[in-house]
Amino acid sequence: SNTGGEDGDLKKGVAWPSPRFTDNGNGTVTDNLTKLIWLKNANAFGLRTWEQALSDANTLASGSAGLTDGSKAGDWRLPNVKELQSLIDFAYYGPALSSASGTSQWTSGNAFIGVQSSYYWSSTTYSGNASGAWYVYLADGFVYYDNKANTNYVWPVRAGR
């Protein structure tokens, strides 16, 4: 059973890049550790069920949610639980997220906006019960599962080019 959080996934012992996050100026932010590209606005959709969250992410495109990156529907997706967890910086609480430099706690606009110290859906279905999916609690990095009919926040991601 793989419930996430192996040391290797968190790259312990690997120096985090400086800066950790780069604001691309087009509504996206690149994580220089994982090379993933995140939507700058971590609350573009409000509270959504899991199915709504999947749809929000899969239909996201340039011209909406502050994006001017030329992306089209299908480029974005809901992150899996490991991708979402990779954002977490356990040095901080409420939220457990660093600033762009990686040397202090996140504050609005540095590099993200709209970050909620709350629950964010992952795309990963809970293997013990298909009516559940994993989420990450941004306040402290805790990972657990919730019924897909409940509502949590949505933070779309896409692969780096």
Side-chain angles (χ1 to χ4, degrees):
S1 73
N2 181 4
T3 53
E6 282 85 22
D7 284 354
D9 295 321
L10 298 176
K11 297 184 165 64
K12 286 194 171 75
V14 173
W16 279 12
S18 183
R20 170 69 198 270
F21 300 111
T22 299
D23 187 334
N24 298 313
N26 59 6
T28 72
V29 173
T30 298
D31 182 342
N32 295 309
L33 179 65
T34 62
K35 307 304 183 211
L36 291 169
I37 298 173
W38 295 87
L39 187 62
K40 180 181 174 75
N41 185 350
N43 185 18
F45 303 101
L47 288 165
R48 307 287 276 165
T49 67
W50 187 75
E51 293 285 353
Q52 288 171 329
L54 284 178
S55 175
D56 290 339
N58 291 337
T59 59
L60 181 61
S62 191
S64 64
L67 286 173
T68 57
D69 66 336
S71 62
K72 12 181 232 316
D75 289 349
W76 294 90
R77 57 186 170 79
L78 201 59
N80 68 44
V81 69
K82 289 190 183 294
E83 289 169 335
L84 204 46
Q85 210 177 14
S86 73
L87 287 171
I88 298 297
D89 187 334
F90 291 104
Y92 309 110
Y93 174 84
L97 182 70
S98 79
S99 62
S101 67
T103 58
S104 60
Q105 188 173 21
W106 171 84
T107 54
S108 188
N110 187 355
F112 302 102
I113 60 172
V115 175
Q116 306 298 303
S117 288
S118 190
Y119 304 96
Y120 279 86
W121 281 124
S122 83
S123 62
T124 310
T125 293
Y126 173 53
S127 59
N129 183 342
S131 67
W134 293 96
Y135 65 73
V136 175
Y137 185 45
L138 253 287
D140 61 7
F142 186 76
V143 177
Y144 206 64
Y145 63 91
D146 195 8
N147 189 294
K148 291 175 178 176
N150 292 337
T151 56
N152 294 306
Y153 289 97
V154 184
W155 200 344
V157 70
R158 65 174 173 82
R161 297 214 200 285

